[in-house]
Amino acid sequence: MSRIAYVNGRYLRHGEAGVSIDDRAFVFGDGVYEVCEVRGGALIDEDRHLARLARSLSLVRIAAPLTEPALRRVLREVVARNRVCDGLVYFQITRGAARRDFPFPLSAKPGIVITAKNLDPRLNEARAAEGIKVVTAPDERWARPHIKSLQLLPNVLAKQNAREAGAYETWFVDKAGFVTEGSSSNAWIVTAQGRLVTRPLDGAILPGVTRATLIEVAARLGLVFEERAFTLSEAFEAREALMSSATTIALPIVAIDGRPVGEGQPGPAARALRARFHDTARRT
Ligand code: PLP
C-alpha cells in the first residue's frame, strides 16, 4: 500500500507528492513542525501538540494555514488513509514558496505537509527492556530551542554521532556543565536520594509534550519531583536516567558516555513512568 501525504490541500501518494524548490522550508528551514504519537489509531496528547504548534507559529510569525478544527480533521484523515494503528503523525508548516530573499515574502501563502506512518511497537519495547546508551556533546544549537523549528542540523549531527558511538541518543550539555536535553528528547535523572529531576522550561529546551504528561504521571506515582537543571556530573552519580519523547515515551538510560548509570540496568522509576504514561495521556 503506498503512503498518502496531505500537501497544501491535496491527498497525494508519496511518490507523486512534492513542494516547490522555492519553499522556504527547503531554502531556509523556515518553518515549524510537530510529531504526535498514534496508538490504537488514536492521537495521543493532541491538544498539547496543537497548543505547542500554535506557540511555535506565533513565535516565528507564520499564520496557521488551517483552522484548528480543520487541522484536527486532516490529521485524522491522514492517519486513516495510511491505516496507522501504532505510529506517528508528522505535520510541518512553512512560510511558503517565494523567490529566495531573507525578509518575509509579501505574497507567499504558508505551506503544510502532513504524513503518518506505522512504527513497530516491539522495537521500543525492546529498547525499554534493555535500556539505551547516551553520549554527550556541547549544546551548540541556536539560542531558541524552545521553538520546534525545522532547523535541525545540530540535532541531526548529534544523533549521527550517537549512532556512530553505538548509542541511541546524544545529551546536549551547556557551557556551565548542565544537561539541556537530548537531540530529539527531554532528559531526566533520578538522584541518589531518589528525586526525579528534569530541567525547567527556561528557554534552553523544547517544552516536551511527553515531559508535561510524565510530570503528571510522576505525581500520580507519588515520586518526589524537582524541576531544576542538573549537571553531567550529577547524572554520572544518578541512580537512574531516562529520556522522553512522543514516539519513545520514556526510555531508561543505562550508560552515559560509557559509564553505567546506577546498576547499569533499567530502573524502577523509569519503568513505572513508562508503564503508567498512557493512563494519563489524553487519547483523542
Ligand atoms: N527535545 C527535542 C529537541 C525534541 O526534538 C523532542 C521531540 O522531538 C523533544 C525534546 C521531546 O518532545 P515531545 O515529548 O513533545 O516529543
Side-chain angles (χ1 to χ4, degrees), residues 33 141 151-160 169-170 172 181-184:
Y33 75 106
R141 300 172 300 162
Q151 303 181 88
L152 292 170
L153 188 54
N155 310 57
V156 167
L157 295 175
K159 191 74 88 182
Q160 181 60 22
E169 179 60 303
T170 293
F172 293 125
E181 61 181 336
S183 68
S184 63

Side-chain angles (χ1 to χ4, degrees), residues 92-121:
Q92 72 166 47
I93 294 176
T94 83
R95 204 176 301 280
R99 212 170 70 164
R100 187 181 184 283
D101 198 5
F102 282 85
F104 297 172
L106 294 177
S107 59
K109 281 206 322 237
I112 178 162
V113 172
I114 305 178
T115 59
K117 65 179 177 188
N118 277 299
L119 296 172
D120 184 349

Side-chain angles (χ1 to χ4, degrees), residues 179-202:
V179 174
T180 53
E181 61 181 336
S183 68
S184 63
S185 58
N186 289 114
W188 307 69
I189 56 169
V190 179
T191 64
Q193 296 73 35
R195 293 166 181 272
L196 178 69
V197 180
T198 199
R199 188 167 176 128
L201 302 182
D202 56 0

Side-chain angles (χ1 to χ4, degrees), residues 4-274:
I4 303 291
Y6 177 84
V7 185
N8 297 325
R10 297 198 296 161
Y11 294 94
L12 299 168
R13 282 203 275 274
H14 276 223
E16 293 158 2
V19 292
S20 162
I21 59 165
D22 282 329
D23 192 289
R24 289 173 64 99
F26 179 57
V27 178
F28 294 122
D30 188 356
V32 297
Y33 75 106
E34 276 299 324
V35 178
C36 185
E37 185 198 7
V38 178
R39 185 175 160 94
L43 275 72
I44 303 299
D45 278 335
E46 180 189 18
D47 291 350
R48 281 189 163 136
H49 284 284
L50 292 183
R52 185 173 61 189
L53 178 69
R55 270 199 312 276
S56 300
L57 285 169
S58 133
L59 287 166
V60 300
R61 295 158 64 196
I62 295 177
L66 293 177
T67 63
E68 195 181 290
L71 177 56
R72 286 179 194 266
R73 275 199 300 278
V74 179
L75 290 172
R76 277 163 185 69
E77 188 63 29
V78 175
V79 167
R81 287 192 190 217
N82 288 284
R83 297 188 198 152
V84 176
C85 180
D86 295 317
L88 63 85
V89 58
Y90 172 88
F91 37 125
Q92 72 166 47
I93 294 176
T94 83
R95 204 176 301 280
R99 212 170 70 164
R100 187 181 184 283
D101 198 5
F102 282 85
F104 297 172
L106 294 177
S107 59
K109 281 206 322 237
I112 178 162
V113 172
I114 305 178
T115 59
K117 65 179 177 188
N118 277 299
L119 296 172
D120 184 349
R122 288 170 302 188
L123 283 177
N124 260 332
E125 288 315 318
R127 284 184 199 114
E130 267 185 34
I132 56 126
K133 297 175 183 162
V134 303
V135 290
T136 62
D139 196 339
E140 290 168 341
R141 300 172 300 162
W142 74 323
R144 302 177 76 191
H146 57 287
I147 302 175
K148 200 161 169 67
S149 109
L150 292 175
Q151 303 181 88
L152 292 170
L153 188 54
N155 310 57
V156 167
L157 295 175
K159 191 74 88 182
Q160 181 60 22
N161 284 343
R163 293 294 195 273
E164 288 171 9
Y168 183 69
E169 179 60 303
T170 293
W171 270 7
F172 293 125
V173 181
D174 69 17
K175 288 196 175 69
F178 290 91
V179 174
T180 53
E181 61 181 336
S183 68
S184 63
S185 58
N186 289 114
W188 307 69
I189 56 169
V190 179
T191 64
Q193 296 73 35
R195 293 166 181 272
L196 178 69
V197 180
T198 199
R199 188 167 176 128
L201 302 182
D202 56 0
I205 63 169
L206 187 77
V209 166
T210 317
R211 173 189 177 283
T213 300
L214 284 173
I215 291 172
E216 295 175 8
V217 179
R220 287 189 173 190
L221 289 169
L223 299 177
V224 181
F225 171 65
E226 276 179 33
E227 202 173 14
R228 64 165 174 84
F230 60 87
T231 61
L232 184 55
S233 319
E234 201 178 355
F236 286 141
E237 301 304 319
R239 197 188 274 183
E240 291 185 45
L242 53 142
M243 58 165 267
S244 66
S245 76
T247 50
T248 59
I249 313 303
L251 287 181
I253 293 168
V254 294
I256 302 173
D257 285 341
R259 305 194 198 187
V261 176
E263 310 281 294
Q265 299 287 331
R271 276 207 301 267
L273 286 164
R274 179 180 183 81

